[in-house]
Amino acid sequence: MTDLLEIIKNRRSIRKYESREISDALLDQVIEAFQWAPSWANTQCWELIVVRDPEIRKNLQEALPPKGNPGSKAIVEASAVLAICGKKSVSGYFKGEKTTKFGDWMLYDLGLATQNLCLMAHSLGLGTVIVGLFDHDKAAKAVNLPDGYELAVLVPIGYPAKSGGAPQRRETNDFVHQDTF
Amino acid sequence: MTDLLEIIKNRRSIRKYESREISDALLDQVIEAFQWAPSWANTQCWELIVVRDPEIRKNLQEALPPKGNPGSKAIVEASAVLAICGKKSVSGYFKGEKTTKFGDWMLYDLGLATQNLCLMAHSLGLGTVIVGLFDHDKAAKAVNLPDGYELAVLVPIGYPAKSGGAPQRRETNDFVHQDTF
């Protein structure tokens, strides 16, 4: 199965989108991929908000730093924005207590699920970009996120208008170790 | 492309392994999938330790809770254990300063990369299980992890001897919201 490796290696962060909309049928497949992520003790702390409303997207965009964020335009121009959220104090917890030094594993589990989503989108011809640098509380307010949850990343999704080259990756012999570090 | 959705949906956590070894050629592909994960501003904070040494694996196993962890045997029985580590204060940081309320995004980025690894392994007929519940400092010591790094998860990998049914997932209408939460 080399197909999967190609999907993984060819998926790029897309920041320029065509204006055409993505169908519900395609979005459903992307969401299904997200849904089937593994999670800490199958806790599935995730919540997913599909934002299409232009006013709310403008508010989300305003949560980004005013200049220099290459993903900023995508927040309002892509077909939709997926706001990936998580319930706090669930993943990594047992009976209300942290079970490891890392405390909340929400971000880790959302990482697993986000990757499913991005790979699935790419395999369907759709682009995504994972935006993490913004005022998270301001963005959470824009989508009426209740207490006890966090909005972690915004993922614009749509048909790519432009793709770029692959950012360089570290060589495997730079990060792979045998038996000990 | 429905193949990817099948890979995603059919990948299970594998806790019972055959004794036969996995080849370097297969492991290389799994590592290549890991290598090509996206990361915060392409910071690639990851480090991967391939642990085959029985003594070190016994020490890793001893970092797990003494009873009740279904992944415990896999630490010593699978063909290898991948210790997924990250450099601290890199992902989510800019010029040494945290850029968001979440501080270190290491766990999120390792989640993205772990999912690539698990999907690739499954597509090659290999099983994996993500083990996160253990004494992380004790495990880090077992692999001589230097200061400034964290060992996040242990991922046994090998040929599955037994698979299980799919843990139930939340229905999409339980976690998908339109425009606002």
Side-chain angles (χ1 to χ4, degrees):
Chain A
M1 178 76 196
T2 54
D3 273 346
L4 176 61
L5 198 51
E6 278 165 32
I7 293 171
I8 285 172
K9 292 182 72 170
N10 292 331
R11 184 258 165 198
R12 299 273 77 75
S13 296
I14 301 297
R15 297 180 177 93
K16 296 276 282 180
Y17 290 89
E18 292 182 8
S19 57
R20 67 180 161 136
E21 300 298 321
I22 59 174
S23 69
D24 286 345
L26 286 187
L27 188 57
D28 285 351
Q29 286 185 70
V30 170
I31 291 171
E32 194 175 352
F34 181 88
Q35 175 189 30
W36 280 89
S39 60
W40 183 282
N42 200 33
T43 42
Q44 307 172 64
C45 71
W46 48 67
E47 301 287 336
L48 188 65
I49 308 176
V50 182
V51 187
R52 295 188 189 269
D53 182 89
E55 191 65 30
I56 296 172
R57 289 165 63 166
K58 207 167 167 301
N59 293 338
L60 289 174
Q61 189 187 38
E62 283 169 5
L64 270 66
K67 52 180 178 176
N69 193 312
S72 177
K73 274 195 173 175
I75 301 288
V76 293
E77 289 179 354
S79 178
V81 175
L82 306 177
I84 297 181
C85 309
K87 192 172 184 177
K88 291 195 281 188
S89 310
V90 173
S91 175
Y93 283 71
F94 185 68
K95 295 185 178 176
E97 299 287 331
K98 296 172 187 177
T99 56
T100 73
K101 67 180 286 191
F102 296 115
D104 205 323
W105 282 72
M106 179 186 67
L107 280 186
Y108 183 82
D109 285 356
L110 295 183
L112 296 168
T114 306
Q115 189 61 2
N116 269 8
L117 185 156
C118 291
L119 294 177
M120 193 65 212
H122 176 62
S123 83
L124 296 168
L126 302 174
T128 53
V129 56
I130 306 171
V131 179
L133 180 60
F134 54 88
D135 180 332
H136 288 78
D137 290 333
K138 196 170 171 178
K141 207 170 167 185
V143 294
N144 291 339
L145 197 69
D147 287 347
Y149 294 83
E150 295 282 4
L151 195 174
V153 294
L154 296 168
V155 181
I157 184 168
Y159 287 98
K162 197 179 125 187
S163 188
Q168 204 169 356
R169 294 305 199 279
R170 294 168 64 197
E171 298 292 337
T172 54
N173 60 19
D174 185 48
F175 66 84
V176 178
H177 313 262
Q178 303 301 326
D179 284 324
T180 55
F181 190 93
Chain B
M1 178 78 193
T2 54
D3 273 344
L4 176 61
L5 198 51
E6 277 166 31
I7 292 169
I8 286 172
K9 292 182 72 169
N10 291 332
R11 184 258 164 198
R12 299 273 77 76
S13 296
I14 301 297
R15 298 179 178 91
K16 294 278 279 181
Y17 291 89
E18 292 182 8
S19 57
R20 66 179 161 135
E21 299 300 321
I22 59 173
S23 69
D24 286 344
L26 286 187
L27 188 58
D28 285 349
Q29 287 186 69
V30 170
I31 290 171
E32 195 175 352
F34 181 86
Q35 176 188 29
W36 280 89
S39 59
W40 184 282
N42 201 32
T43 43
Q44 306 172 65
C45 71
W46 48 67
E47 301 286 338
L48 188 65
I49 308 173
V50 181
V51 187
R52 295 185 189 271
D53 181 89
E55 192 64 31
I56 296 173
R57 290 166 62 165
K58 207 167 166 300
N59 292 339
L60 289 175
Q61 188 187 38
E62 283 169 5
L64 270 66
K67 54 179 177 177
N69 194 312
S72 178
K73 274 195 174 174
I75 300 288
V76 293
E77 291 179 353
S79 177
V81 175
L82 306 176
I84 297 181
C85 308
K87 192 172 183 178
K88 291 195 280 188
S89 310
V90 173
S91 176
Y93 283 72
F94 185 69
K95 295 186 177 175
E97 299 287 331
K98 296 173 188 177
T99 56
T100 72
K101 67 180 287 190
F102 296 114
D104 205 322
W105 281 73
M106 178 185 69
L107 280 186
Y108 182 81
D109 285 356
L110 295 183
L112 296 168
T114 306
Q115 189 61 3
N116 270 7
L117 186 155
C118 291
L119 293 177
M120 193 66 213
H122 176 62
S123 82
L124 296 169
L126 301 175
T128 52
V129 57
I130 307 170
V131 179
L133 179 60
F134 53 88
D135 181 331
H136 288 77
D137 291 333
K138 195 170 173 180
K141 206 171 168 185
V143 293
N144 291 340
L145 197 69
D147 287 346
Y149 293 83
E150 295 282 3
L151 195 174
V153 294
L154 296 168
V155 181
I157 185 168
Y159 287 98
K162 195 179 124 186
S163 188
Q168 202 168 356
R169 292 306 196 280
R170 294 168 64 197
E171 297 292 336
T172 54
N173 61 19
D174 185 47
F175 67 83
V176 178
H177 313 262
Q178 303 300 326
D179 286 320
T180 55
F181 190 92

